[in-house]
Amino acid sequence: KALQAQAFYLDNSPLAVIEWDAEVRVRRWSGQAERIFGWKPDEVLGERSRDLALVHPDWVPTIRASTVELLEGRATQNRMISRNKTRSGKFIYCEWFNSAFVDSTGKTQGILSLAQDVTLRVEAEEQLRHAAVHDSLTDCHNRQSLIARLEHALARARRTGERLALLFIDL
């Protein structure tokens, strides 16, 4: 009865709940994981993340390093944002909260991951970053961008002894 209640809570969590074994194969796949990523539990149980191509290729080294950190016991938990791929092939951004299951000898037996789709938040942040350094009418770099780039160029010129020239044309 307690296991049924636990399964109910995990399936109804607002976060995807994914449990991985020590070989990084899916052991548990919650209802929210299905809603976010598109795969049904029977399609993923026993599968590895790489077999599902769950992680965008550009993000694989980062995710691998984070996972190895947990598996080797250098960390018991970590948090990250990564780009993931859904069953339909759509790319989304997810925030992951990972915890290692460690036995009494200190060996990692598995990883519990909680994930949420943060695509809208990441895209809004990217739009804000773009708007901060681009003119809204022309989409050209704005004064803030010029100042930042000029400061960077001056610092590099001071550091390396190179000369710097600036040509300013007022249109």
Side-chain angles (χ1 to χ4, degrees):
K1 202 168 192 170
L3 288 176
Q4 287 176 332
Q6 181 186 24
F8 175 79
Y9 289 124
L10 292 177
D11 279 339
N12 289 295
S13 168
L15 301 174
V17 179
I18 304 169
E19 184 182 340
W20 311 89
D21 65 16
E23 308 299 316
V24 198
R25 288 187 170 87
V26 177
R27 213 185 320 198
R28 178 188 304 263
W29 188 263
S30 73
Q32 187 65 4
E34 181 181 342
R35 287 184 282 284
I36 291 173
F37 299 107
W39 285 281
K40 296 184 180 308
D42 61 339
E43 296 174 303
V44 297
L45 292 177
E47 297 291 329
R48 292 180 182 213
S49 169
R50 71 173 179 228
D51 298 331
L52 298 169
L54 184 62
V55 178
H56 187 282
D58 294 347
W59 290 77
V60 168
T62 302
I63 303 305
R64 183 175 290 128
S66 178
T67 303
V68 167
E69 179 182 65
L70 293 170
L71 292 173
E72 291 180 351
R74 289 183 277 128
T76 56
Q77 54 185 276
N78 59 34
R79 175 184 165 266
M80 69 186 123
I81 292 180
S82 72
R83 194 152 186 224
N84 295 101
K85 189 168 119 180
T86 66
R87 185 174 191 260
S88 68
K90 177 182 172 190
F91 287 104
I92 61 174
Y93 287 94
C94 289
E95 184 168 22
W96 292 84
F97 303 88
N98 304 300
S99 299
F101 291 128
V102 181
D103 66 17
S104 59
T105 67
K107 185 173 184 212
T108 301
Q109 297 298 312
I111 298 170
L112 179 67
S113 296
L114 304 176
Q116 64 180 338
D117 183 348
V118 293
T119 304
L120 294 176
R121 185 180 85 198
V122 169
E123 289 173 350
E125 289 169 356
E126 287 174 0
Q127 288 173 351
L128 285 172
R129 273 192 295 279
H130 182 82
V133 293
H134 289 83
D135 178 76
S136 60
L137 181 62
T138 64
D139 203 37
C140 293
H141 286 274
N142 64 13
R143 174 192 241 150
Q144 282 304 115
S145 178
L146 171 66
I147 291 169
R149 287 173 177 226
L150 189 56
E151 286 174 350
H152 178 72
L154 286 168
R156 187 179 65 232
R158 281 189 212 105
R159 191 175 58 250
T160 64
E162 293 177 353
R163 299 182 73 156
L164 178 67
L166 174 66
L167 173 64
F168 183 80
I169 301 172
D170 187 1
L171 301 177

